[in-house]
């Protein structure tokens, strides 16, 4: 399908849209109108007006006195109610939060229409009708709390049950939620899809939304309504700011010089020269009226220059140690327009773009010879038309598109381009390069040298169309807030992959190559035999119905059902698992998700609420995992082959020269022999990955039970228990398992069609992409939320949780399998992202009459699990060389190695370093006049300058530092969290609001 066909489909759907709803990014308000004696008042004219834009909604109270307005843009509202013989009612400053339902009852007093009763007071703190577990964060917290990398995910992680996963890479901060990996969240901005179908949310949102442009976001971690789906982790809804009836804006600038940035742990301990780390951010936003009360605009521009520290230390080759500052910049632009055509119709459009080239990006084990780079352009746009169809019915049509292109390259590859500069190639024309012209990479046990193998990039687009409908139906054995919804998404992904076309030689040691010393020869060689060109597409259809049934003023029953259909057409022609007469790729059609929830107020004022629910939640398929079945099929022009095929050449380890013809000349690629053996389109002699005819969507059973108590008008406590059982998770099985002739590391492997389904001979693993994984997550979440009042606000969150099972990411493979025995009991263990304790604090205060402001965030997380293994033997003889060591206490002997590590045995039996970081802000605000205020601030990130380490590198990673066979790297902490560790940095800035 091409773009003109997609446009035709979108137009057809717009023309024939059924009444549906996907209420992401909006709010609701409702209540009951009564007189002084408590009698209901029908026919009351109620006007709900956004106090900043003048956009309004008119409704009439029903026969039972109820009124309701749905699909309102979040913001500050005023309610006005009028009825003959009664005094008009007015209440303002009502902050409608995204995804929330606010209940405001109206009492009319007898009297003349000229005598208005104006009610004051704070908006309710508790949504008494919702079973959703999560929270909301608004403009004040976003603008006044210190936020690393100016990314809203750092503030999202103040909510319970969420781990913040920061990155030194531009815009790649992300989160872990509900015991799921980073790829399994779902992010929307203004109701438009803003996640990556190829990678999920492993690198955060598709396009970073700037802090100054965000009005509010809602994060749902469990038990969300049927309108939300395609995620097993968190659902994040961000709302951008809109223009108002006043011209308002912000100008800001902030920066941190190298003098204000501390040296990182390895620079200090290895006495390296401190790199020149620099950070400079500036920009602004402005919004205002085009036509007062009708049309408004909003514009945001942000520039970031971020050169973070990167240090790598190699104990066996200290001459390779280095500390540099990477080079990262971006331009971020947002434009929004809103228009109320009349009382019943409004429309809006928004476009968001970010261009972020990044140079000298350093990964695990990389030296200055093997660094890589990235050029990246991300964009998203959304348009909506909202129509009030009657007193209690609202419809919204939304269309959106998210698209990107990035290219990961390296200095050798870029030098082939003719466009000049560091990029070398004109953007989007990088596929003209040839990674095979670069020298091969040398993979030693501790480091990578000579060259990078990275050269790849996607061109992808996601198109979205939905038609949203809501209907409030009162007086039918209670009040019904009903929602119906459907959405169609089309994703197309084109990818060019030249990774490892230059080849990789692997050594069993760290000694430099010496032709006279057999032990310095490589023991294995891998190479991609040609460029892989991919095209894959995905059609998803979503539909739901939801009824929030208010049985009485204190009890609400939420009933919902959702259906997800995902169609990913794949070529299964050469897949032997599919019958000869049925080569159609699988489509899982049995994805019905019931949801049921109940809330009950323990008092008439709604100060104490018990809530709970159960539901089934389907995840989505990550294309970047499934497309391995295309890239590593039976026949391919781009096989990744290994020499020797199954085991390392035993010669170098034994002090003998290798005998494999690709290794006998040392680390030099024998292109003539390779081209002769692997002409284009030949059989894949490398790893093969097949799709399963029975592939289905992973899903989870969720159960929650919680209690919310409003301790004061601005203070509430939340307690929630969450149980989640994930089923049918992707975990690949090896259809061509091996049996080693002995338990040695280099013993020969004998592979066989052990399951009797291949019907042919294959040389390496044959994985099938299937649903054999599962996991269980249990958590107790506690949070204390203080809304801003009396000059301070804050939130304290704690989560006690446990996540374990047999699967994590969608590309996981069962490496514990022995012949036909999957050994799932042995493979079961703590999830890679399991952290037993998560504690976070965010607080802000203002000292009266001084203009001084203080704020801080603090985070603590206990360590995440990892496996300790010993690749010197293959105890189960399955050829995978990751057999875990027995339970016990283990210590490394090299510098910076972990000591006295308690290991329970099995997969992920050990616990890595914990995490702690405190960020603070001190500011001063001075009002220049009625419309302008100047703010000066000082942010200090990681004020204690704590060195937070990542876990030792894991099994299946060459040179993995959890491998007991390699004492020079065994249990050595080599990587700081996020890549650079975020050493203490003081940042000074100014912010002018007008």
């Amino acid at each position: 399908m091409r773009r003109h066909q997609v446009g035709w489909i979108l137009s057809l759907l717009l023309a024939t849209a059924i009444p549906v709803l996907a209420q992401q990014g909006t709010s609701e308000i409702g209540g009951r109108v009564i007189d002084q004696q408590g009698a209901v008042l029908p026919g009351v004219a109620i006007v709900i007006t956004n106090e900043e834009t003048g956009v309004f909604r008119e409704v009439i109270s029903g026969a039972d006195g109820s009124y309701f307005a749905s699909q309102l843009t979040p913001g500050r509202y005023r309610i006005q109610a009028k009825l003959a013989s009664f005094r008009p009612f007015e209440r303002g400053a009502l902050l409608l939060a995204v995804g929330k339902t606010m209940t405001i009852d109206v009492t009319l007093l007898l009297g003349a229409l000229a005598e208005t009763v104006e009610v004051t007071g704070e908006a309710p703190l508790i949504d008494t009708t919702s079973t959703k577990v999560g929270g909301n964060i608004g403009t004040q917290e976003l603008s006044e709390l210190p936020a690393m990398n100016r990314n809203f995910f750092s503030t999202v992680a103040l909510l319970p049950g969420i781990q913040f996963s920061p990155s030194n890479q531009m815009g790649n901060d992300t989160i872990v939620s509900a015991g799921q990996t980073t790829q399994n969240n779902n992010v929307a901005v203004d109701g438009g899809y803003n996640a990556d179908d190829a990678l999920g949310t492993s690198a955060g949102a598709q396009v970073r939304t700037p802090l100054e442009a965000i009005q509010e976001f809602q994060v749902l971690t469990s038990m969300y309504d049927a309108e939300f789906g395609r995620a097993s982790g968190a659902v994040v809804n961000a709302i951008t700011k809109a223009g108002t009836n006043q011209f308002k804006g912000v100008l800001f600038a902030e920066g941190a010089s190298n003098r204000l940035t501390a040296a990182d742990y390895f620079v200090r301990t290895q006495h390296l020269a401190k790199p020149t780390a620099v950070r400079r951010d500036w920009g602004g936003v402005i919004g205002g009226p085009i036509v007062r009360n009708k049309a408004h605009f909003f514009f945001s521009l942000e520039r970031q220059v971020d050169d973070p520290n990167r240090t790598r230390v190699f104990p066996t080759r200290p001459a390779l140690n280095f500390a540099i500052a990477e080079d990262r910049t971006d331009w971020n632009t947002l434009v929004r327009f809103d228009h109320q055509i009349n009382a019943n119709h409004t429309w809006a459009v928004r476009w968001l773009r970010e261009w972020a080239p990044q140079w000298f990006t350093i990964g695990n084990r990389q030296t200055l010879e093997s660094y890589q780079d990235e050029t990246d352009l991300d964009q998203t746009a959304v348009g909506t038309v909202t129509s009030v169809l009657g007193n209690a019915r609202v419809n919204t049509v939304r269309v959106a598109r998210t698209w990107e292109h990035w290219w990961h390259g390296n200095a050798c590859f870029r030098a082939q381009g003719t466009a000049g500069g560091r990029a070398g190639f004109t953007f989007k024309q990088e596929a003209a390069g040839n990674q095979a012209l670069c020298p091969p990479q040398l993979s030693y046990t501790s480091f990578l040298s000579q060259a990078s193998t990275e050269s790849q990039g996607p061109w992808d687009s996601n198109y979205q169309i939905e038609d949203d409908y809501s209907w409030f139906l009162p007086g039918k054995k209670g009040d019904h807030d009903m929602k119906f919804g459907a959405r169609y998404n089309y994703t197309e992904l084109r990818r060019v992959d030249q990774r490892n076309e230059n080849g990789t030689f692997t050594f069993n040691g760290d000694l430099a190559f010496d032709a006279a010393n057999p032990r310095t020869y490589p023991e294995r060689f891998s190479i991609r035999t040609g460029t892989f060109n991919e095209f894959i597409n995905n059609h998803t259809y979503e539909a739901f119905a939801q009824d929030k049934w208010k049985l009485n003023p204190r009890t609400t029953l939420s009933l919902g059902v959702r259906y997800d259909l995902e169609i990913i057409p794949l070529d299964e022609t050469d897949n032997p698992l599919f019958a000869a007469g049925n080569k159609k790729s699988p489509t899982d059609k049995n994805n019905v998700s019931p949801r049921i929830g109940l809330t009950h107020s323990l008092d008439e004022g709604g100060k104490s609420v018990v809530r709970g629910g159960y539901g089934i939640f389907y995840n989505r398929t990550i294309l970047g995992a499934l497309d391995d079945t295309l890239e590593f099929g039976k026949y391919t022009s781009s096989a990744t082959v290994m020499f020797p095929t199954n085991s390392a050449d035993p010669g170098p380890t034994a002090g003998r020269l290798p005998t494999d013809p690709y290794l006998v000349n040392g680390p030099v690629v024998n292109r003539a022999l390779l081209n002769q053996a692997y002409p284009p389109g030949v059989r894949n002699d490398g790893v093969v990955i097949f799709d399963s005819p029975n592939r289905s969507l992973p899903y989870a059973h969720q159960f929650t039970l919680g209690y919310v108590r409003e301790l004061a008008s601005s203070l509430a406590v939340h307690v929630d228990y969450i149980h989640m059982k994930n089923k049918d998770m992707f975990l690949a099985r090896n259809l061509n398992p091996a049996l080693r002739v002995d338990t040695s590391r280099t013993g020969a492997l004998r592979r066989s069609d052990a399951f009797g389904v291949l019907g042919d001979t294959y040389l390496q693993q044959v994985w099938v992409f299937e649903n054999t994984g599962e996991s269980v997550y249990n958590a107790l979440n506690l949070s204390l939320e203080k809304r801003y009042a009396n000059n301070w606000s804050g939130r304290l969150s704690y989560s006690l949780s446990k996540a374990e099972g047999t699967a994590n990411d969608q590309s996981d493979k069962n490496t514990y399998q022995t012949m036909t025995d999957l050994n799932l009991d042995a493979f079961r263990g703590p999830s890679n992202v399991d952290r037993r304790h998560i504690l976070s604090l965010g607080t802000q205060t203002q000292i009266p009459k001084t203009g001084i402001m203080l704020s801080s965030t603090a985070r603590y997380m206990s360590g995440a699990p990892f496996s300790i293994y010993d690749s010197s033997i293959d105890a189960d003889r399955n050829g995978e060389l990751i057999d875990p060591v027995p339970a016990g206490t283990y210590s490394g002997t090299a510098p910076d190695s972990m000591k006295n590590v308690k290991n329970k045995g099995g997969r992920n039996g050990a616990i890595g370093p914990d995490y702690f970081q405190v960020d603070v802000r001190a500011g001063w605000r001075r009002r220049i006049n009625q419309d302008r205020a100047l703010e000066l601030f000082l942010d200090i990130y990681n004020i204690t300058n704590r060195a937070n380490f990542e876990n030792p590198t894991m099994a299946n990673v060459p040179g993995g530092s959890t491998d007991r066979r390699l004492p020079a790297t065994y249990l050595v902490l080599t990587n700081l969290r996020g890549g650079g560790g975020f050493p203490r940095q003081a940042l000074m800035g100014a912010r002018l609001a007008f």
Side-chain angles (χ1 to χ4, degrees):
M1 184 180 291
R2 292 295 181 260
R3 291 179 182 176
H4 70 277
Q5 293 173 293
V6 174
W8 181 85
I9 290 176
L10 297 184
S11 300
L12 179 63
L13 288 171
L14 275 170
T16 62
I18 61 174
V20 295
L21 175 81
Q23 199 203 1
Q24 299 180 16
T26 60
S27 306
E28 301 174 332
I29 188 170
R32 202 168 300 276
V33 186
I34 59 175
D35 63 15
Q36 287 174 282
Q37 284 73 43
V40 298
L41 293 176
V44 178
I46 299 172
V47 179
I48 303 165
T49 306
N50 187 305
E51 291 185 330
E52 295 186 309
T53 67
V55 174
F56 64 93
R57 180 80 60 83
E58 295 178 332
V59 295
I60 305 295
S61 63
D64 63 348
S66 63
Y67 74 95
F68 197 81
S70 61
Q71 298 197 48
L72 295 169
T73 301
R76 192 175 73 240
Y77 281 80
R78 174 175 295 273
I79 292 179
Q80 296 168 300
K82 292 183 180 180
L83 184 65
S85 302
F86 289 86
R87 302 179 190 177
F89 171 95
E90 186 170 318
R91 181 171 178 179
L94 297 171
L95 293 175
L96 293 190
V98 58
K100 296 286 188 178
T101 300
M102 181 181 289
T103 301
I104 299 294
D105 292 328
V106 174
T107 300
L108 296 185
L109 306 180
L110 288 171
L113 284 175
E115 305 175 62
T116 299
V117 177
E118 185 161 354
V119 177
T120 60
E122 292 187 295
L125 191 59
I126 296 176
D127 182 353
T128 61
T129 67
S130 175
T131 61
K132 292 175 286 200
V133 179
N136 289 62
I137 293 180
T139 302
Q140 187 171 32
E141 284 182 276
L142 287 170
S143 63
E144 295 189 5
L145 289 175
M148 282 203 316
N149 301 334
R150 294 189 62 80
N151 195 311
F152 68 76
F153 278 120
S154 67
T155 312
V156 165
L158 295 175
L159 296 169
I162 297 178
Q163 304 174 32
F164 180 43
S165 182
S167 173
N168 277 129
Q169 290 192 329
M170 188 70 71
N172 282 2
D173 295 347
T174 187
I175 57 173
V176 171
S177 175
Q180 303 296 297
T181 61
T182 56
Q183 67 180 199
N184 291 333
N185 304 308
N186 203 338
V187 180
V189 178
D190 297 324
Y193 186 64
N194 191 29
D196 189 330
D197 273 321
L199 301 174
T201 50
S202 56
Q206 179 79 76
V207 191
R208 182 183 64 89
T209 310
L211 288 180
E212 292 288 356
I214 298 174
Q215 175 175 311
E216 183 187 8
F217 57 80
Q218 176 193 40
V219 183
L220 307 175
T221 57
S222 301
M223 208 50 229
Y224 24 89
D225 290 341
E227 61 190 288
F228 302 103
R230 302 193 72 211
S232 59
V235 172
V236 180
N237 291 319
I239 301 300
T240 60
K241 294 178 179 176
T244 69
N245 279 334
Q246 290 183 311
F247 286 100
K248 293 182 179 181
V250 171
L251 296 174
F252 73 90
E254 58 186 31
S257 70
N258 190 49
R259 290 184 177 183
L260 298 176
T261 303
D264 69 47
Y265 172 83
F266 292 115
V267 168
R268 298 195 312 268
T269 59
Q270 300 298 318
H271 309 292
L272 301 175
K274 178 186 170 186
T276 304
V278 175
R279 177 176 166 183
R280 296 190 300 273
D281 308 321
W282 59 265
V285 300
I286 186 171
I290 298 174
V291 178
R292 287 181 60 85
N293 297 327
K294 293 187 71 67
H296 306 86
F297 77 94
F298 183 83
F299 175 75
S300 168
L301 177 67
E302 182 171 293
R303 171 66 166 170
Q304 285 189 296
V305 177
D306 187 12
D307 300 341
N309 60 294
R310 270 293 196 278
T311 305
R312 290 290 180 265
V313 174
F314 309 101
T316 61
R317 296 282 292 276
L320 297 175
N321 294 351
F322 68 90
I324 66 168
E326 297 181 337
D327 184 350
R328 307 179 184 280
T329 59
D330 81 62
W331 285 101
N332 187 291
T333 309
L334 181 147
V335 179
R336 174 169 172 161
F337 173 78
D338 296 79
H339 179 215
Q340 180 161 20
I341 302 171
N342 53 43
N344 293 327
H345 301 285
T346 62
W347 66 282
V349 292
R350 188 266 303 143
W351 172 64
L352 174 62
R353 175 187 188 271
E354 185 165 62
W355 162 250
Q358 305 177 54
W359 308 103
F360 309 114
T361 60
I362 306 296
N364 294 336
R365 302 171 59 235
Q366 288 183 327
T367 62
L368 285 177
E369 296 178 323
S370 59
Y371 70 85
Q372 58 199 53
D373 57 53
E374 178 182 13
T375 47
D376 186 12
L377 177 63
D378 300 283
Q379 300 180 79
T380 176
V382 60
T384 60
V385 178
T386 301
S387 301
V388 179
L389 304 179
N391 187 52
R393 292 174 291 127
V394 181
N395 190 81
T396 295
V397 174
R398 178 179 291 111
V399 293
R401 183 189 176 198
T402 300
W403 66 107
E404 74 162 343
H405 169 62
W406 53 258
W407 188 271
H408 290 174
N410 58 78
C412 170
F413 178 87
R414 298 281 183 183
Q416 301 172 27
T418 60
R422 287 186 291 190
F425 295 92
T426 301
F427 189 65
K428 298 185 180 182
Q429 303 301 317
E430 299 91 348
N434 186 358
Q435 178 68 13
L437 300 177
C438 296
Q441 182 173 88
L442 308 183
S443 177
Y444 294 93
T445 56
S446 301
F447 60 90
L448 304 171
S449 71
Q450 186 165 280
S452 169
T453 60
E454 186 69 14
S455 180
Q456 64 162 329
W459 293 255
D460 63 84
S461 286
N462 174 274
Y463 302 86
Q464 169 189 334
I465 171 71
E466 59 183 283
D467 180 68
D468 306 351
Y469 183 85
S470 61
W471 183 16
F472 180 68
L473 185 63
K476 302 296 182 180
K477 297 184 179 181
D479 298 338
H480 298 264
D481 173 12
M482 295 185 295
K483 308 168 186 177
F484 307 91
R487 172 191 288 181
Y488 168 73
N489 280 277
Y490 172 73
T491 300
E492 58 182 20
L493 170 63
R494 175 190 164 224
R495 184 166 65 91
V496 175
D497 194 341
Q498 299 183 8
R499 286 176 298 173
N500 204 34
E501 282 196 58
N502 54 330
T504 298
F505 287 94
T506 301
F507 300 80
N508 182 33
D510 288 338
L511 294 176
F513 175 69
D514 178 358
N517 183 355
R519 292 187 181 276
T520 67
Y521 275 71
E523 65 176 11
R524 211 161 187 195
F525 173 61
S526 70
I527 192 167
R528 182 184 290 270
T529 59
T531 298
F532 174 66
N533 292 281
E534 170 192 313
F535 180 82
I536 187 173
N537 58 49
N538 182 11
H539 304 263
T540 62
Y541 302 84
E542 308 166 50
F544 75 90
Q546 181 82 35
D547 181 8
K548 193 179 290 185
W549 181 7
K550 199 164 187 177
L551 300 171
N552 56 57
R554 293 167 60 173
T555 305
T556 300
L557 177 65
S558 181
L559 300 171
V561 62
R562 178 182 176 87
Y563 180 72
D564 291 278
L565 176 64
E566 191 175 77
I567 302 175
I568 307 175
L570 297 174
D571 183 3
E572 309 285 4
T573 302
D574 298 316
N575 188 334
L577 306 182
F578 287 72
N582 184 15
K583 294 290 186 176
K584 186 178 181 181
S585 57
T587 298
D588 181 12
K589 299 179 180 179
N590 186 29
N591 304 323
V592 178
S593 311
R595 313 273 174 90
I596 182 170
L598 182 71
T599 64
H600 178 70
S601 298
L602 301 180
D603 59 280
E604 292 186 2
K607 305 297 184 183
S608 296
V609 176
V610 176
R611 63 188 183 189
Y614 164 80
I616 295 177
F617 298 77
Y618 280 88
N619 202 351
R620 67 187 184 278
T621 302
I622 303 298
L623 294 184
L626 182 60
D627 69 357
D628 286 348
T629 63
L630 300 178
E631 185 170 358
F632 302 104
K634 182 176 181 179
Y635 295 98
T636 179
S637 61
S638 180
T640 298
V641 290
M642 302 281 291
F643 306 97
T645 301
N646 280 299
S647 296
D649 191 305
T653 298
R656 304 188 305 269
L657 290 173
T659 58
D660 188 281
Y662 288 92
L663 303 177
V664 293
N665 296 321
V668 179
V669 179
N670 190 336
R671 288 284 175 187
L673 181 62
L674 185 72
N675 294 337
Q676 180 182 358
Y678 294 96
V682 301
R683 172 79 174 270
N684 180 4
D685 285 344
V687 173
V688 173
I689 302 178
F690 286 133
D691 192 12
S692 169
N694 300 314
R695 171 173 50 82
S696 59
L697 279 179
Y699 69 97
H701 295 275
Q702 284 189 23
F703 168 77
T704 64
L705 181 64
Y707 172 73
V708 186
R709 171 66 181 176
E710 185 175 311
L711 303 176
S713 60
S714 61
L715 182 65
V717 62
H718 301 246
V719 181
D720 290 285
Y721 166 71
I722 299 103
H723 172 78
M724 182 186 303
K725 187 173 182 61
N726 292 280
K727 306 286 289 182
D728 288 351
M729 299 177 72
F730 291 120
L731 179 65
R733 171 171 52 112
N734 187 2
L735 300 179
N736 195 41
L739 185 66
R740 198 181 294 276
V741 296
D742 54 32
T743 59
S744 69
R745 186 177 71 89
T746 58
L749 295 178
R750 297 172 181 170
R751 296 195 176 274
S752 64
D753 180 9
F755 295 91
V757 295
L758 296 177
D760 206 344
T761 301
Y762 295 80
L763 299 184
Q764 292 193 40
Q765 297 98 325
V766 177
W767 299 103
V768 56
F769 193 85
E770 65 180 7
N771 306 85
T772 58
E774 51 83 20
S775 70
V776 176
Y777 173 77
N778 287 282
L780 179 65
N781 290 349
L782 299 94
S783 66
L784 186 66
E785 180 182 354
K786 170 68 168 63
R787 185 165 55 188
Y788 192 82
N790 300 320
N791 300 310
W792 76 282
S793 67
R795 64 174 73 238
L796 175 67
S797 300
Y798 171 72
S799 180
L800 173 66
S801 63
K802 182 178 182 180
E804 59 183 353
T806 58
N808 296 277
D809 288 322
Q810 294 195 7
S811 57
D812 284 352
K813 297 174 175 59
N814 182 0
T815 52
Y816 281 33
Q817 175 186 337
T818 303
M819 298 305 288
T820 58
D821 187 350
L822 299 186
N823 283 324
L824 289 175
D825 288 340
F827 199 63
R828 181 172 287 103
S831 165
N832 294 343
V833 296
D834 178 45
R835 292 184 184 266
R836 197 58 45 87
H837 305 281
I838 306 172
L839 177 67
S840 64
L841 171 68
T843 184
Q844 52 191 323
T845 186
Q846 193 167 15
I847 301 176
K849 301 179 181 180
T850 66
I852 296 175
M853 303 173 298
L854 302 172
S855 63
S856 176
T857 61
R859 312 174 200 273
Y860 170 80
M861 296 187 294
S862 56
F866 66 94
S867 302
I868 301 178
Y869 69 107
D870 190 335
S871 68
S872 63
I873 60 171
D874 188 1
D876 57 12
R877 298 170 58 198
N878 72 348
E880 297 298 339
L881 293 176
I882 57 166
D883 297 310
V885 299
T889 301
Y890 295 84
S891 297
T893 57
D896 294 320
S897 61
M898 299 178 68
K899 310 294 183 184
N900 300 316
V901 178
K902 294 181 180 180
N903 177 39
K904 296 181 179 179
R907 189 175 68 87
N908 283 345
I911 300 297
D914 60 2
Y915 172 85
F916 177 71
Q917 180 166 323
V918 177
D919 306 327
V920 299
R921 168 176 287 189
W924 175 79
R925 180 184 290 137
R926 174 70 179 271
R927 184 164 293 281
I928 301 173
N929 55 37
Q930 184 177 357
D931 299 324
R932 294 180 177 86
L934 175 65
E935 179 181 335
L936 305 176
F937 58 88
L938 170 68
D939 287 353
I940 303 178
Y941 298 102
N942 193 9
I943 192 171
T944 65
N945 201 30
R946 188 179 198 260
N948 289 303
F949 293 95
E950 300 281 16
N951 275 356
T953 51
M954 298 291 286
N956 280 340
V957 176
S961 55
T962 62
D963 188 353
R964 189 169 58 174
R965 182 176 71 89
L966 307 172
T969 58
Y970 176 51
L971 294 181
V972 173
L973 299 173
T974 58
N975 297 321
L976 293 165
R977 185 160 178 82
F982 306 99
R984 180 173 55 231
Q985 184 177 66
L987 179 146
M988 295 183 291
R991 186 173 182 269
L992 176 65
F994 59 90

